[in-house]
Amino acid sequence: MSGSTKAMAIVTCAALVLTTAYTVALGSSGWLWFGWIVLGVATAGMAAADSAEATTDPYGPRGPLGPRAGGAGPSPR
């Protein structure tokens, strides 16, 4: 999990705590809960994208040395 995804998860948890505290103290607010759900879905999307990115090859199909790895490409002069 990248740093930005961890930060987003922390913000989402903090928003849940604050929304719950507001609901207990002052009564329920549908807009607060709606906002928290949107934030939670965005966080889940970031985590899913981060997870999918971690399973792909970071070097791509050409390998870590670029297009000349394996003899492909023009010869150096």
Side-chain angles (χ1 to χ4, degrees):
M1 197 183 291
S2 69
S4 61
T5 306
K6 286 181 185 177
M8 186 79 161
I10 291 169
V11 168
T12 302
C13 290
L16 174 62
V17 170
L18 291 173
T19 303
T20 303
Y22 182 91
T23 298
V24 169
L26 300 174
S28 183
S29 171
W31 285 109
L32 279 178
W33 286 108
F34 176 75
W36 182 81
I37 289 171
V38 169
L39 184 63
V41 168
T43 303
M46 281 183 65
D50 200 23
S51 174
E53 188 176 293
T55 60
T56 59
D57 185 11
Y59 297 114
R62 297 181 180 210
L65 301 177
R68 293 193 183 160
S75 61
R77 292 185 179 188

Tab-separated table of all heavy atoms in Angstrom:
chain	number	residue	atom	x	y	z
A	1	MET	N	0.855	-1.170	0.000
A	1	MET	CA	0.000	0.000	0.000
A	1	MET	C	0.901	1.233	0.000
A	1	MET	O	1.805	1.364	0.812
A	1	MET	CB	-0.900	-0.049	1.242
A	1	MET	CG	-2.078	0.870	1.141
A	1	MET	SD	-3.139	0.947	2.599
A	1	MET	CE	-3.896	-0.637	2.624
A	2	SER	N	0.635	2.136	-0.915
A	2	SER	CA	1.458	3.334	-1.016
A	2	SER	C	1.124	4.315	0.107
A	2	SER	O	0.119	4.182	0.804
A	2	SER	CB	1.247	3.998	-2.378
A	2	SER	OG	-0.052	4.542	-2.445
A	3	GLY	N	1.965	5.322	0.250
A	3	GLY	CA	1.776	6.310	1.303
A	3	GLY	C	0.492	7.102	1.152
A	3	GLY	O	-0.182	7.405	2.143
A	4	SER	N	0.141	7.441	-0.078
A	4	SER	CA	-1.083	8.215	-0.280
A	4	SER	C	-2.328	7.384	0.032
A	4	SER	O	-3.314	7.914	0.559
A	4	SER	CB	-1.150	8.748	-1.710
A	4	SER	OG	-1.150	7.680	-2.633
A	5	THR	N	-2.277	6.087	-0.241
A	5	THR	CA	-3.411	5.225	0.083
A	5	THR	C	-3.560	5.063	1.587
A	5	THR	O	-4.672	5.070	2.118
A	5	THR	CB	-3.254	3.849	-0.598
A	5	THR	OG1	-3.064	4.042	-1.995
A	5	THR	CG2	-4.470	2.982	-0.371
A	6	LYS	N	-2.432	4.945	2.294
A	6	LYS	CA	-2.473	4.856	3.755
A	6	LYS	C	-3.030	6.152	4.353
A	6	LYS	O	-3.833	6.111	5.287
A	6	LYS	CB	-1.084	4.585	4.311
A	6	LYS	CG	-0.609	3.180	4.105
A	6	LYS	CD	0.769	2.978	4.700
A	6	LYS	CE	1.295	1.598	4.379
A	6	LYS	NZ	2.650	1.391	4.888
A	7	ALA	N	-2.609	7.278	3.816
A	7	ALA	CA	-3.102	8.563	4.313
A	7	ALA	C	-4.603	8.685	4.074
A	7	ALA	O	-5.351	9.165	4.944
A	7	ALA	CB	-2.353	9.703	3.642
A	8	MET	N	-5.059	8.249	2.918
A	8	MET	CA	-6.488	8.298	2.611
A	8	MET	C	-7.275	7.393	3.553
A	8	MET	O	-8.372	7.755	4.007
A	8	MET	CB	-6.721	7.879	1.158
A	8	MET	CG	-8.114	8.017	0.694
A	8	MET	SD	-8.481	9.711	0.298
A	8	MET	CE	-9.915	9.502	-0.709
A	9	ALA	N	-6.738	6.225	3.882
A	9	ALA	CA	-7.406	5.315	4.809
A	9	ALA	C	-7.489	5.921	6.212
A	9	ALA	O	-8.512	5.802	6.894
A	9	ALA	CB	-6.676	3.976	4.851
A	10	ILE	N	-6.437	6.605	6.630
A	10	ILE	CA	-6.434	7.269	7.941
A	10	ILE	C	-7.469	8.385	7.972
A	10	ILE	O	-8.217	8.534	8.943
A	10	ILE	CB	-5.025	7.782	8.275
A	10	ILE	CG1	-4.096	6.597	8.539
A	10	ILE	CG2	-5.045	8.730	9.471
A	10	ILE	CD1	-2.629	6.964	8.628
A	11	VAL	N	-7.534	9.173	6.916
A	11	VAL	CA	-8.527	10.255	6.837
A	11	VAL	C	-9.939	9.684	6.849
A	11	VAL	O	-10.834	10.224	7.513
A	11	VAL	CB	-8.280	11.122	5.581
A	11	VAL	CG1	-9.446	12.051	5.309
A	11	VAL	CG2	-6.994	11.912	5.731
A	12	THR	N	-10.155	8.562	6.157
A	12	THR	CA	-11.470	7.932	6.129
A	12	THR	C	-11.872	7.438	7.518
A	12	THR	O	-13.014	7.638	7.946
A	12	THR	CB	-11.486	6.771	5.118
A	12	THR	OG1	-11.132	7.286	3.835
A	12	THR	CG2	-12.847	6.115	5.033
A	13	CYS	N	-10.938	6.818	8.229
A	13	CYS	CA	-11.237	6.355	9.591
A	13	CYS	C	-11.512	7.527	10.521
A	13	CYS	O	-12.430	7.471	11.349
A	13	CYS	CB	-10.081	5.508	10.120
A	13	CYS	SG	-9.946	3.916	9.304
A	14	ALA	N	-10.734	8.595	10.406
A	14	ALA	CA	-10.961	9.780	11.232
A	14	ALA	C	-12.321	10.405	10.923
A	14	ALA	O	-13.045	10.842	11.835
A	14	ALA	CB	-9.846	10.794	11.010
A	15	ALA	N	-12.697	10.430	9.654
A	15	ALA	CA	-14.004	10.973	9.274
A	15	ALA	C	-15.131	10.117	9.836
A	15	ALA	O	-16.172	10.648	10.251
A	15	ALA	CB	-14.114	11.070	7.759
A	16	LEU	N	-14.942	8.797	9.885
A	16	LEU	CA	-15.948	7.925	10.474
A	16	LEU	C	-16.118	8.228	11.965
A	16	LEU	O	-17.244	8.325	12.466
A	16	LEU	CB	-15.576	6.457	10.270
A	16	LEU	CG	-16.489	5.436	10.962
A	16	LEU	CD1	-17.911	5.541	10.417
A	16	LEU	CD2	-15.933	4.043	10.785
A	17	VAL	N	-15.015	8.393	12.664
A	17	VAL	CA	-15.079	8.707	14.097
A	17	VAL	C	-15.773	10.047	14.319
A	17	VAL	O	-16.647	10.175	15.187
A	17	VAL	CB	-13.658	8.695	14.711
A	17	VAL	CG1	-13.661	9.259	16.120
A	17	VAL	CG2	-13.092	7.282	14.697
A	18	LEU	N	-15.406	11.057	13.536
A	18	LEU	CA	-16.016	12.380	13.698
A	18	LEU	C	-17.498	12.372	13.330
A	18	LEU	O	-18.318	13.017	14.005
A	18	LEU	CB	-15.266	13.408	12.858
A	18	LEU	CG	-13.839	13.730	13.328
A	18	LEU	CD1	-13.146	14.639	12.316
A	18	LEU	CD2	-13.872	14.363	14.693
A	19	THR	N	-17.861	11.662	12.287
A	19	THR	CA	-19.267	11.582	11.885
A	19	THR	C	-20.090	10.869	12.956
A	19	THR	O	-21.202	11.291	13.291
A	19	THR	CB	-19.407	10.869	10.531
A	19	THR	OG1	-18.632	11.570	9.565
A	19	THR	CG2	-20.844	10.801	10.072
A	20	THR	N	-19.529	9.805	13.517
A	20	THR	CA	-20.223	9.083	14.585
A	20	THR	C	-20.375	9.965	15.820
A	20	THR	O	-21.443	10.001	16.437
A	20	THR	CB	-19.465	7.793	14.935
A	20	THR	OG1	-19.334	7.004	13.748
A	20	THR	CG2	-20.184	6.994	15.994
A	21	ALA	N	-19.317	10.693	16.179
A	21	ALA	CA	-19.381	11.587	17.340
A	21	ALA	C	-20.417	12.682	17.125
A	21	ALA	O	-21.174	13.028	18.041
A	21	ALA	CB	-18.007	12.189	17.612
A	22	TYR	N	-20.464	13.228	15.925
A	22	TYR	CA	-21.456	14.261	15.614
A	22	TYR	C	-22.868	13.693	15.730
A	22	TYR	O	-23.767	14.342	16.270
A	22	TYR	CB	-21.219	14.791	14.194
A	22	TYR	CG	-22.170	15.896	13.799
A	22	TYR	CD1	-21.839	17.220	14.026
A	22	TYR	CD2	-23.396	15.616	13.201
A	22	TYR	CE1	-22.706	18.246	13.657
A	22	TYR	CE2	-24.273	16.621	12.841
A	22	TYR	CZ	-23.921	17.944	13.071
A	22	TYR	OH	-24.784	18.943	12.726
A	23	THR	N	-23.052	12.481	15.230
A	23	THR	CA	-24.371	11.851	15.283
A	23	THR	C	-24.804	11.608	16.730
A	23	THR	O	-25.961	11.840	17.082
A	23	THR	CB	-24.352	10.529	14.489
A	23	THR	OG1	-24.054	10.829	13.127
A	23	THR	CG2	-25.681	9.811	14.570
A	24	VAL	N	-23.885	11.159	17.572
A	24	VAL	CA	-24.214	10.906	18.973
A	24	VAL	C	-24.528	12.209	19.695
A	24	VAL	O	-25.480	12.292	20.477
A	24	VAL	CB	-23.055	10.148	19.664
A	24	VAL	CG1	-23.232	10.110	21.174
A	24	VAL	CG2	-22.944	8.737	19.099
A	25	ALA	N	-23.745	13.246	19.435
A	25	ALA	CA	-23.898	14.499	20.179
A	25	ALA	C	-25.058	15.352	19.684
A	25	ALA	O	-25.810	15.907	20.494
A	25	ALA	CB	-22.599	15.302	20.093
A	26	LEU	N	-25.227	15.468	18.377
A	26	LEU	CA	-26.189	16.430	17.839
A	26	LEU	C	-27.306	15.814	17.006
A	26	LEU	O	-28.191	16.530	16.551
A	26	LEU	CB	-25.451	17.469	16.997
A	26	LEU	CG	-24.388	18.284	17.745
A	26	LEU	CD1	-23.634	19.170	16.775
A	26	LEU	CD2	-25.012	19.114	18.847
A	27	GLY	N	-27.236	14.547	16.755
A	27	GLY	CA	-28.257	13.909	15.930
A	27	GLY	C	-27.720	13.593	14.542
A	27	GLY	O	-26.697	14.125	14.110
A	28	SER	N	-28.417	12.730	13.876
A	28	SER	CA	-27.953	12.240	12.582
A	28	SER	C	-28.050	13.310	11.494
A	28	SER	O	-28.971	14.111	11.467
A	28	SER	CB	-28.773	11.024	12.175
A	28	SER	OG	-28.298	10.505	10.972
A	29	SER	N	-27.067	13.304	10.620
A	29	SER	CA	-27.069	14.168	9.449
A	29	SER	C	-26.814	13.292	8.227
A	29	SER	O	-25.742	12.692	8.091
A	29	SER	CB	-25.979	15.239	9.553
A	29	SER	OG	-25.864	15.933	8.334
A	30	GLY	N	-27.813	13.221	7.370
A	30	GLY	CA	-27.691	12.385	6.184
A	30	GLY	C	-26.552	12.789	5.267
A	30	GLY	O	-25.884	11.944	4.674
A	31	TRP	N	-26.309	14.098	5.157
A	31	TRP	CA	-25.230	14.569	4.285
A	31	TRP	C	-23.864	14.157	4.808
A	31	TRP	O	-22.956	13.846	4.020
A	31	TRP	CB	-25.284	16.081	4.112
A	31	TRP	CG	-26.386	16.494	3.188
A	31	TRP	CD1	-27.540	17.131	3.515
A	31	TRP	CD2	-26.444	16.263	1.778
A	31	TRP	NE1	-28.316	17.310	2.400
A	31	TRP	CE2	-27.671	16.798	1.306
A	31	TRP	CE3	-25.596	15.658	0.858
A	31	TRP	CZ2	-28.052	16.744	-0.019
A	31	TRP	CZ3	-25.981	15.606	-0.472
A	31	TRP	CH2	-27.187	16.138	-0.895
A	32	LEU	N	-23.677	14.147	6.132
A	32	LEU	CA	-22.396	13.691	6.691
A	32	LEU	C	-22.163	12.216	6.375
A	32	LEU	O	-21.059	11.824	5.983
A	32	LEU	CB	-22.356	13.912	8.205
A	32	LEU	CG	-22.016	15.313	8.675
A	32	LEU	CD1	-22.066	15.374	10.206
A	32	LEU	CD2	-20.657	15.739	8.181
A	33	TRP	N	-23.203	11.411	6.567
A	33	TRP	CA	-23.048	9.995	6.273
A	33	TRP	C	-22.863	9.738	4.781
A	33	TRP	O	-22.071	8.887	4.388
A	33	TRP	CB	-24.244	9.201	6.816
A	33	TRP	CG	-24.158	9.079	8.312
A	33	TRP	CD1	-24.920	9.717	9.224
A	33	TRP	CD2	-23.217	8.288	9.039
A	33	TRP	NE1	-24.515	9.370	10.485
A	33	TRP	CE2	-23.472	8.489	10.408
A	33	TRP	CE3	-22.187	7.422	8.684
A	33	TRP	CZ2	-22.746	7.869	11.408
A	33	TRP	CZ3	-21.452	6.800	9.688
A	33	TRP	CH2	-21.737	7.021	11.023
A	34	PHE	N	-23.564	10.495	3.955
A	34	PHE	CA	-23.374	10.373	2.514
A	34	PHE	C	-21.937	10.735	2.128
A	34	PHE	O	-21.298	10.036	1.339
A	34	PHE	CB	-24.362	11.277	1.766
A	34	PHE	CG	-24.155	11.279	0.275
A	34	PHE	CD1	-24.555	10.199	-0.487
A	34	PHE	CD2	-23.561	12.355	-0.354
A	34	PHE	CE1	-24.366	10.189	-1.862
A	34	PHE	CE2	-23.362	12.357	-1.723
A	34	PHE	CZ	-23.767	11.266	-2.482
A	35	GLY	N	-21.419	11.819	2.708
A	35	GLY	CA	-20.036	12.216	2.434
A	35	GLY	C	-19.045	11.162	2.885
A	35	GLY	O	-18.047	10.892	2.198
A	36	TRP	N	-19.322	10.550	4.037
A	36	TRP	CA	-18.409	9.519	4.520
A	36	TRP	C	-18.450	8.299	3.596
A	36	TRP	O	-17.414	7.693	3.318
A	36	TRP	CB	-18.754	9.095	5.949
A	36	TRP	CG	-17.768	8.084	6.436
A	36	TRP	CD1	-16.532	8.324	6.935
A	36	TRP	CD2	-17.913	6.665	6.374
A	36	TRP	NE1	-15.907	7.136	7.200
A	36	TRP	CE2	-16.728	6.105	6.876
A	36	TRP	CE3	-18.939	5.823	5.961
A	36	TRP	CZ2	-16.543	4.732	6.966
A	36	TRP	CZ3	-18.745	4.453	6.045
A	36	TRP	CH2	-17.558	3.922	6.552
A	37	ILE	N	-19.616	7.938	3.105
A	37	ILE	CA	-19.722	6.796	2.187
A	37	ILE	C	-18.968	7.078	0.889
A	37	ILE	O	-18.241	6.217	0.380
A	37	ILE	CB	-21.201	6.450	1.917
A	37	ILE	CG1	-21.810	5.845	3.179
A	37	ILE	CG2	-21.354	5.509	0.734
A	37	ILE	CD1	-23.299	5.658	3.124
A	38	VAL	N	-19.093	8.284	0.367
A	38	VAL	CA	-18.351	8.650	-0.846
A	38	VAL	C	-16.844	8.572	-0.586
A	38	VAL	O	-16.078	8.052	-1.406
A	38	VAL	CB	-18.768	10.055	-1.335
A	38	VAL	CG1	-17.838	10.571	-2.419
A	38	VAL	CG2	-20.206	10.040	-1.829
A	39	LEU	N	-16.411	9.073	0.570
A	39	LEU	CA	-14.994	8.997	0.932
A	39	LEU	C	-14.542	7.545	1.070
A	39	LEU	O	-13.447	7.177	0.621
A	39	LEU	CB	-14.762	9.762	2.233
A	39	LEU	CG	-13.333	9.890	2.731
A	39	LEU	CD1	-12.478	10.669	1.728
A	39	LEU	CD2	-13.314	10.581	4.087
A	40	GLY	N	-15.376	6.709	1.664
A	40	GLY	CA	-15.038	5.293	1.809
A	40	GLY	C	-14.923	4.579	0.477
A	40	GLY	O	-14.012	3.768	0.268
A	41	VAL	N	-15.827	4.885	-0.451
A	41	VAL	CA	-15.765	4.261	-1.781
A	41	VAL	C	-14.515	4.728	-2.526
A	41	VAL	O	-13.844	3.934	-3.196
A	41	VAL	CB	-17.057	4.563	-2.579
A	41	VAL	CG1	-16.915	4.185	-4.041
A	41	VAL	CG2	-18.240	3.851	-1.948
A	42	ALA	N	-14.176	6.004	-2.396
A	42	ALA	CA	-12.952	6.515	-3.035
A	42	ALA	C	-11.715	5.847	-2.444
A	42	ALA	O	-10.770	5.499	-3.169
A	42	ALA	CB	-12.874	8.026	-2.876
A	43	THR	N	-11.712	5.640	-1.145
A	43	THR	CA	-10.585	4.967	-0.500
A	43	THR	C	-10.479	3.517	-0.961
A	43	THR	O	-9.377	3.028	-1.240
A	43	THR	CB	-10.729	5.029	1.026
A	43	THR	OG1	-10.818	6.397	1.431
A	43	THR	CG2	-9.558	4.381	1.729
A	44	ALA	N	-11.611	2.833	-1.050
A	44	ALA	CA	-11.603	1.450	-1.527
A	44	ALA	C	-11.102	1.380	-2.972
A	44	ALA	O	-10.355	0.467	-3.342
A	44	ALA	CB	-12.998	0.850	-1.415
A	45	GLY	N	-11.482	2.348	-3.784
A	45	GLY	CA	-11.000	2.396	-5.161
A	45	GLY	C	-9.506	2.617	-5.240
A	45	GLY	O	-8.818	1.992	-6.055
A	46	MET	N	-8.999	3.512	-4.388
A	46	MET	CA	-7.547	3.734	-4.363
A	46	MET	C	-6.806	2.475	-3.929
A	46	MET	O	-5.760	2.136	-4.490
A	46	MET	CB	-7.193	4.878	-3.415
A	46	MET	CG	-7.423	6.243	-3.973
A	46	MET	SD	-6.914	7.549	-2.838
A	46	MET	CE	-5.156	7.294	-2.749
A	47	ALA	N	-7.338	1.778	-2.930
A	47	ALA	CA	-6.696	0.553	-2.454
A	47	ALA	C	-6.720	-0.527	-3.536
A	47	ALA	O	-5.737	-1.247	-3.724
A	47	ALA	CB	-7.387	0.063	-1.187
A	48	ALA	N	-7.826	-0.629	-4.257
A	48	ALA	CA	-7.918	-1.623	-5.331
A	48	ALA	C	-6.951	-1.297	-6.466
A	48	ALA	O	-6.282	-2.184	-7.003
A	48	ALA	CB	-9.347	-1.689	-5.860
A	49	ALA	N	-6.851	-0.025	-6.825
A	49	ALA	CA	-5.920	0.375	-7.881
A	49	ALA	C	-4.480	0.160	-7.447
A	49	ALA	O	-3.638	-0.271	-8.241
A	49	ALA	CB	-6.151	1.833	-8.254
A	50	ASP	N	-4.207	0.442	-6.189
A	50	ASP	CA	-2.860	0.239	-5.659
A	50	ASP	C	-2.508	-1.243	-5.651
A	50	ASP	O	-1.387	-1.634	-5.973
A	50	ASP	CB	-2.776	0.821	-4.254
A	50	ASP	CG	-1.362	1.109	-3.812
A	50	ASP	OD1	-0.494	1.278	-4.680
A	50	ASP	OD2	-1.137	1.182	-2.587
A	51	SER	N	-3.477	-2.084	-5.312
A	51	SER	CA	-3.260	-3.522	-5.284
A	51	SER	C	-3.044	-4.071	-6.694
A	51	SER	O	-2.175	-4.912	-6.915
A	51	SER	CB	-4.448	-4.213	-4.637
A	51	SER	OG	-4.318	-5.600	-4.725
A	52	ALA	N	-3.815	-3.599	-7.653
A	52	ALA	CA	-3.666	-4.061	-9.036
A	52	ALA	C	-2.332	-3.607	-9.617
A	52	ALA	O	-1.698	-4.324	-10.386
A	52	ALA	CB	-4.813	-3.541	-9.889
A	53	GLU	N	-1.893	-2.428	-9.252
A	53	GLU	CA	-0.621	-1.906	-9.746
A	53	GLU	C	0.552	-2.705	-9.199
A	53	GLU	O	1.556	-2.899	-9.872
A	53	GLU	CB	-0.489	-0.441	-9.325
A	53	GLU	CG	0.684	0.277	-9.919
A	53	GLU	CD	0.665	1.744	-9.531
A	53	GLU	OE1	-0.245	2.453	-9.968
A	53	GLU	OE2	1.559	2.140	-8.775
A	54	ALA	N	0.431	-3.212	-7.977
A	54	ALA	CA	1.512	-3.964	-7.360
A	54	ALA	C	1.690	-5.339	-7.991
A	54	ALA	O	2.765	-5.928	-7.884
A	54	ALA	CB	1.258	-4.107	-5.866
A	55	THR	N	0.675	-5.867	-8.656
A	55	THR	CA	0.781	-7.204	-9.237
A	55	THR	C	1.326	-7.186	-10.662
A	55	THR	O	1.633	-8.237	-11.200
A	55	THR	CB	-0.589	-7.906	-9.233
A	55	THR	OG1	-1.507	-7.132	-10.001
A	55	THR	CG2	-1.116	-8.081	-7.823
A	56	THR	N	1.458	-6.034	-11.287
A	56	THR	CA	1.985	-5.970	-12.646
A	56	THR	C	3.507	-5.844	-12.611
A	56	THR	O	4.099	-5.449	-11.616
A	56	THR	CB	1.396	-4.778	-13.419
A	56	THR	OG1	1.723	-3.579	-12.733
A	56	THR	CG2	-0.110	-4.899	-13.536
A	57	ASP	N	4.146	-6.177	-13.717
A	57	ASP	CA	5.598	-6.090	-13.828
A	57	ASP	C	6.000	-4.623	-13.929
A	57	ASP	O	5.599	-3.936	-14.873
A	57	ASP	CB	6.059	-6.859	-15.064
A	57	ASP	CG	7.572	-6.923	-15.189
A	57	ASP	OD1	8.272	-6.551	-14.226
A	57	ASP	OD2	8.048	-7.359	-16.249
A	58	PRO	N	6.805	-4.106	-12.991
A	58	PRO	CA	7.143	-2.689	-13.025
A	58	PRO	C	8.017	-2.293	-14.214
A	58	PRO	O	8.089	-1.127	-14.573
A	58	PRO	CB	7.883	-2.463	-11.707
A	58	PRO	CG	8.413	-3.791	-11.327
A	58	PRO	CD	7.419	-4.790	-11.868
A	59	TYR	N	8.664	-3.266	-14.844
A	59	TYR	CA	9.559	-2.942	-15.946
A	59	TYR	C	8.885	-3.069	-17.307
A	59	TYR	O	9.431	-2.673	-18.313
A	59	TYR	CB	10.788	-3.846	-15.919
A	59	TYR	CG	11.611	-3.670	-14.680
A	59	TYR	CD1	11.731	-4.696	-13.765
A	59	TYR	CD2	12.259	-2.473	-14.413
A	59	TYR	CE1	12.484	-4.544	-12.622
A	59	TYR	CE2	13.003	-2.302	-13.270
A	59	TYR	CZ	13.117	-3.348	-12.386
A	59	TYR	OH	13.854	-3.186	-11.252
A	60	GLY	N	7.714	-3.657	-17.337
A	60	GLY	CA	7.025	-3.819	-18.602
A	60	GLY	C	7.566	-4.995	-19.393
A	60	GLY	O	8.382	-5.771	-18.913
A	61	PRO	N	7.162	-5.136	-20.652
A	61	PRO	CA	7.556	-6.302	-21.432
A	61	PRO	C	9.006	-6.279	-21.896
A	61	PRO	O	9.521	-7.289	-22.345
A	61	PRO	CB	6.604	-6.252	-22.634
A	61	PRO	CG	6.259	-4.807	-22.768
A	61	PRO	CD	6.247	-4.276	-21.355
A	62	ARG	N	9.682	-5.161	-21.784
A	62	ARG	CA	11.042	-5.073	-22.322
A	62	ARG	C	12.128	-5.336	-21.285
A	62	ARG	O	13.288	-5.363	-21.623
A	62	ARG	CB	11.260	-3.699	-22.937
A	62	ARG	CG	10.340	-3.473	-24.104
A	62	ARG	CD	10.581	-2.153	-24.706
A	62	ARG	NE	9.684	-1.950	-25.827
A	62	ARG	CZ	9.974	-1.218	-26.862
A	62	ARG	NH1	11.120	-0.598	-26.925
A	62	ARG	NH2	9.114	-1.088	-27.833
A	63	GLY	N	11.782	-5.481	-20.025
A	63	GLY	CA	12.771	-5.793	-19.008
A	63	GLY	C	13.346	-4.541	-18.366
A	63	GLY	O	13.044	-3.418	-18.765
A	64	PRO	N	14.205	-4.723	-17.353
A	64	PRO	CA	14.711	-3.586	-16.585
A	64	PRO	C	15.714	-2.719	-17.330
A	64	PRO	O	15.973	-1.596	-16.932
A	64	PRO	CB	15.345	-4.241	-15.367
A	64	PRO	CG	15.721	-5.599	-15.823
A	64	PRO	CD	14.680	-5.990	-16.820
A	65	LEU	N	16.297	-3.225	-18.419
A	65	LEU	CA	17.346	-2.466	-19.109
A	65	LEU	C	16.840	-1.699	-20.315
A	65	LEU	O	17.616	-1.058	-21.005
A	65	LEU	CB	18.478	-3.410	-19.532
A	65	LEU	CG	19.145	-4.163	-18.388
A	65	LEU	CD1	20.197	-5.112	-18.934
A	65	LEU	CD2	19.756	-3.215	-17.386
A	66	GLY	N	15.561	-1.760	-20.579
A	66	GLY	CA	15.001	-0.991	-21.677
A	66	GLY	C	14.971	-1.768	-22.966
A	66	GLY	O	15.123	-2.982	-22.997
A	67	PRO	N	14.830	-1.057	-24.097
A	67	PRO	CA	14.633	-1.737	-25.375
A	67	PRO	C	15.854	-2.505	-25.857
A	67	PRO	O	15.740	-3.384	-26.683
A	67	PRO	CB	14.283	-0.608	-26.344
A	67	PRO	CG	14.715	0.639	-25.695
A	67	PRO	CD	14.703	0.378	-24.217
A	68	ARG	N	17.058	-2.230	-25.356
A	68	ARG	CA	18.252	-2.939	-25.836
A	68	ARG	C	18.484	-4.246	-25.103
A	68	ARG	O	19.395	-4.985	-25.436
A	68	ARG	CB	19.476	-2.050	-25.709
A	68	ARG	CG	19.400	-0.872	-26.647
A	68	ARG	CD	20.698	-0.175	-26.751
A	68	ARG	NE	20.520	0.986	-27.625
A	68	ARG	CZ	21.315	2.009	-27.655
A	68	ARG	NH1	22.351	2.047	-26.865
A	68	ARG	NH2	21.087	3.001	-28.471
A	69	ALA	N	17.713	-4.544	-24.087
A	69	ALA	CA	17.868	-5.809	-23.363
A	69	ALA	C	17.521	-6.964	-24.295
A	69	ALA	O	16.476	-6.976	-24.931
A	69	ALA	CB	16.956	-5.844	-22.144
A	70	GLY	N	18.414	-7.906	-24.404
A	70	GLY	CA	18.166	-9.048	-25.266
A	70	GLY	C	18.518	-8.814	-26.715
A	70	GLY	O	18.184	-9.590	-27.576
A	71	GLY	N	19.216	-7.745	-27.046
A	71	GLY	CA	19.689	-7.503	-28.392
A	71	GLY	C	18.730	-6.741	-29.281
A	71	GLY	O	19.027	-6.518	-30.444
A	72	ALA	N	17.586	-6.327	-28.781
A	72	ALA	CA	16.648	-5.596	-29.631
A	72	ALA	C	17.088	-4.133	-29.755
A	72	ALA	O	17.703	-3.576	-28.856
A	72	ALA	CB	15.245	-5.658	-29.024
A	73	GLY	N	16.785	-3.532	-30.856
A	73	GLY	CA	17.103	-2.126	-31.045
A	73	GLY	C	18.386	-1.924	-31.851
A	73	GLY	O	19.097	-2.869	-32.179
A	74	PRO	N	18.726	-0.653	-32.164
A	74	PRO	CA	19.925	-0.396	-32.970
A	74	PRO	C	21.199	-0.656	-32.175
A	74	PRO	O	21.223	-0.558	-30.960
A	74	PRO	CB	19.783	1.086	-33.327
A	74	PRO	CG	18.913	1.665	-32.260
A	74	PRO	CD	18.006	0.562	-31.844
A	75	SER	N	22.247	-0.988	-32.907
A	75	SER	CA	23.527	-1.232	-32.239
A	75	SER	C	24.202	0.090	-31.892
A	75	SER	O	24.073	1.082	-32.620
A	75	SER	CB	24.436	-2.062	-33.137
A	75	SER	OG	24.695	-1.347	-34.335
A	76	PRO	N	24.928	0.138	-30.750
A	76	PRO	CA	25.590	1.408	-30.375
A	76	PRO	C	26.765	1.703	-31.310
A	76	PRO	O	27.389	0.805	-31.862
A	76	PRO	CB	26.069	1.126	-28.948
A	76	PRO	CG	26.120	-0.352	-28.820
A	76	PRO	CD	25.121	-0.895	-29.779
A	77	ARG	N	27.074	2.978	-31.507
A	77	ARG	CA	28.170	3.364	-32.402
A	77	ARG	C	29.437	3.592	-31.647
A	77	ARG	O	29.560	4.023	-30.620
A	77	ARG	CB	27.801	4.628	-33.148
A	77	ARG	CG	26.681	4.348	-34.100
A	77	ARG	CD	26.401	5.549	-34.914
A	77	ARG	NE	25.323	5.213	-35.832
A	77	ARG	CZ	24.938	5.996	-36.778
A	77	ARG	NH1	25.501	7.156	-36.953
A	77	ARG	NH2	23.972	5.650	-37.561
